[in-house]
Amino acid sequence: MKSNINDGILITFLDFLKEGIIIVDDETKVIEFVNRFAKKFLKDENYEGKNFKEVIDNDYIYSLISYNQEKDVKAEVNIDNQKYLINVYRIEGKKIIHIQDITPFEVYKQAKKDFVSNVSHELKTPISVLKSAVETIEEEKDPVMIKKFVNIAKKRIEQMDHLINDLLILARLESQEDQVKKESYDLHKQIEEIFEDLKHLTEEKEIQLINQVPNKFDVYADEQKLSIALKNLIENAIKYNKQNGKVIVKAVKDSKYTTITVEDTGIGIPEESIPLIFERFYRVDKSRSRNIGGTGLGLSIVKHITEAHKGKVWVESKLGEGSKFFIKIPNT
């Protein structure tokens, strides 16, 4: 049986799309339909009965509609710092212009493309320094200088070791080789232990570590893995904090979920970087991040550990005012 589709429902659906649709009569060049997303490309939203030349406000889209093509046309164009994929189809005497904002995909593709480059760079730098230190040791006679360059070599070896360990952790998490083994344990105690491990990092900037997780607060999770995730968040909160700053850890629980918050008074994260910070090797400020240290994999590890717990992680941040990272995991 052939079903009847209400035109009003179809138009409402098209208006909900996060993609643009413009329909032009190919003979009269009159615009017949523009959905909500595509109206941003019009001079005047009152397009009914008007030729597209009177209404279209964007030169790229104007040219694509004007082009008297026999085949469908596809083009990628930059408009107001956004990248769009535009397809023009000819169907039953109509031109249908389909507009997709592909900016997030392009940014994501670039982050992926940078991965191999970043791994190479992260390894190349310490290897280069290590090679130079070893060559100097071979020629050096002064025991004090030899010790100095041995320490430099050791530091770079440790840097590579941390990077490789983080890559192995990520590989195991992504392959689900390490199963999550949940049990109830005291989160307040765990935070205290992490604070003790990272206390040495707080001394230079006099960062105050504040554990606001209630005493005897039980969390149902893989203790070892969640410790890795929380340690990464707290370490970042210390490193990217301001002088005399604070790092505050909180936790709340309802009938279904436990939410852990790591809050800092640090430098904050630009809004455009927030969707990408959990990507491997993504750095908001590359030069600053490398000076501070770390492998660039910490937040990606946090994301994978949280997802392995069937939870989610997100961040709220304002540039110059600090950040709040949230880990939300189920209680069962």
Side-chain angles (χ1 to χ4, degrees), residues 157-252:
I157 290 169
E158 287 171 3
Q159 184 180 347
M160 289 188 290
D161 188 48
H162 289 321
L163 176 60
I164 292 166
N165 285 336
D166 280 355
L167 284 169
L168 289 172
I169 290 170
L170 271 178
R172 288 196 296 267
L173 289 167
E174 290 177 344
S175 66
Q176 298 182 345
E177 181 182 329
D178 280 355
Q179 297 297 316
V180 173
K181 299 174 183 178
K182 293 185 178 182
E183 60 181 357
S184 290
Y185 66 89
D186 185 352
L187 181 63
H188 179 92
K189 181 181 177 183
Q190 184 179 53
I191 298 302
E192 287 296 313
E193 290 171 353
I194 294 172
F195 280 180
E196 187 62 31
D197 287 344
L198 299 176
K199 190 175 180 181
H200 65 285
L201 298 177
T202 67
E203 294 171 357
E204 183 179 348
K205 293 183 182 178
E206 297 182 353
I207 306 296
Q208 187 179 359
L209 303 178
I210 303 170
N211 184 359
Q212 292 187 356
V213 177
N215 284 313
K216 306 296 183 182
F217 186 98
D218 282 343
V219 63
Y220 187 62
D222 186 310
E223 185 172 1
Q224 182 183 16
K225 289 183 174 60
L226 190 58
S227 178
I228 292 171
L230 292 172
K231 190 171 183 178
N232 273 310
L233 289 182
I234 294 167
E235 185 171 347
N236 280 350
I238 295 170
K239 288 181 175 179
Y240 293 97
N241 219 314
K242 297 175 182 176
Q243 192 71 33
N244 299 311
K246 295 179 181 179
V247 176
I248 304 168
V249 182
K250 305 175 184 177
V252 294

Side-chain angles (χ1 to χ4, degrees), residues 6 15 70 81 83 102 106 125 168 204 218 266 294 318:
N6 185 291
D15 267 340
E70 293 183 2
N81 297 318
K83 191 162 190 177
I102 60 172
E106 291 299 308
T125 301
L168 289 172
E204 183 179 348
D218 282 343
K318 287 187 178 181

Side-chain angles (χ1 to χ4, degrees), residues 4 31 33 40 48 56 76 84 90 123 168 199 238 267 269 289 291 293 306 312 322:
N4 293 319
I31 294 181
F33 174 76
K40 68 176 78 173
E48 292 89 348
I56 297 297
E76 292 184 6
Y84 293 92
R90 299 181 77 171
L123 286 172
L168 289 172
K199 190 175 180 181
I238 295 170
I267 61 177
I269 303 165
S289 297
N291 288 334
T306 304
K312 64 177 183 176

Side-chain angles (χ1 to χ4, degrees), residues 18 22 37 45 57 62 73 131 145 155 188 195 238 261 290 292 299-300 311-312:
K18 301 298 183 184
I22 300 174
F37 183 95
E45 290 191 8
D57 191 36
Y62 181 96
V73 175
K131 181 174 180 289
M145 293 300 295
K155 184 178 179 181
H188 179 92
F195 280 180
I238 295 170
T261 308
R290 290 195 176 99
I292 289 174
L299 290 180
S300 185
K312 64 177 183 176

